[in-house]
Amino acid sequence: MRVEIWSDIACPWCYVGKARFEKALAAFPHRDGVEVVHRSFELDPGRAKDDVQPVLTMLAKKYGMSEAQAEAGEDNLAAQAAAEGLAYRSRGRDHGNTFDMHRLLHFAKAHGRQDALIQILYRANFAEERSLFSEGDERLVALAAEAGLDADAARAVLADPAAYADEVRADEREAAQLGANGVPFFVLDRTYGVSGAQPAEVFTQALTQAWGERSPLKPIDAGQADACGPDGCAVPRD
């Protein structure tokens, strides 16, 4: 069974939702039969790469709230994260464009390191003092290397604006086709969709239901034909 997760590194509920989903997945009896794939979704796709601003300022402007209200929201998120064992800095973080991070995540996927990198990017954005947005490509290169990727190869990806750009845009188009207008968005075997950072119990229910309703393979009877099996391969005879 495949679970696809549309998310954005700048999304705090994606950070929390991933932890809740993984709690459910760790206890799922068929864990080894579940493939998890991370898909791209930008919360702020029109933001210029060099447009970086404090999170509290962004929230107050975007939602028309006071700074005190933005601070209260961040404090609530910090408490939600702490309940899942996650570190969360409610003050001093900044916000920016995540497109290059998504390109790097597709590069990581090609090398089997996608989940490691997304977790490192979440940690860097939500838990660490250093900015994920204002320190340039070398900050992302260092994080990619921490995830087990070749630093020079990651640097080359970031230097080429076209590298993995089509893959990011394809994910975003697919999210729109599936009706996802927010993240996190979890799709189980292209049959069930779960929106938001739901409690672990909801993910457990979704995994159980999706696993139980998988369609069995339906063979087409076209007569016997030569094939290979545990005992070897059929040998042609005159």
Side-chain angles (χ1 to χ4, degrees), residues 203-238:
F203 290 120
T204 297
Q205 179 184 354
L207 286 166
T208 301
Q209 190 166 343
W211 185 270
E213 296 183 10
R214 289 174 304 145
S215 298
L217 188 66
K218 298 178 181 179
I220 296 175
D221 186 3
Q224 292 186 343
D226 293 334
C228 294
D231 297 326
C233 297
V235 178
R237 298 182 182 277
D238 293 335

Side-chain angles (χ1 to χ4, degrees), residues 11-19 81 86-88 119 122-123 126-127:
C11 165
W13 289 117
C14 297
Y15 179 47
V16 173
K18 183 176 187 291
L86 301 172
Y88 189 98
Q119 192 60 36
Y122 278 143
R123 184 204 70 207
F126 292 109

Side-chain angles (χ1 to χ4, degrees), residues 70-82:
E71 289 177 346
E74 282 292 281
D75 289 341
N76 176 55
L77 277 163
Q80 298 270 1

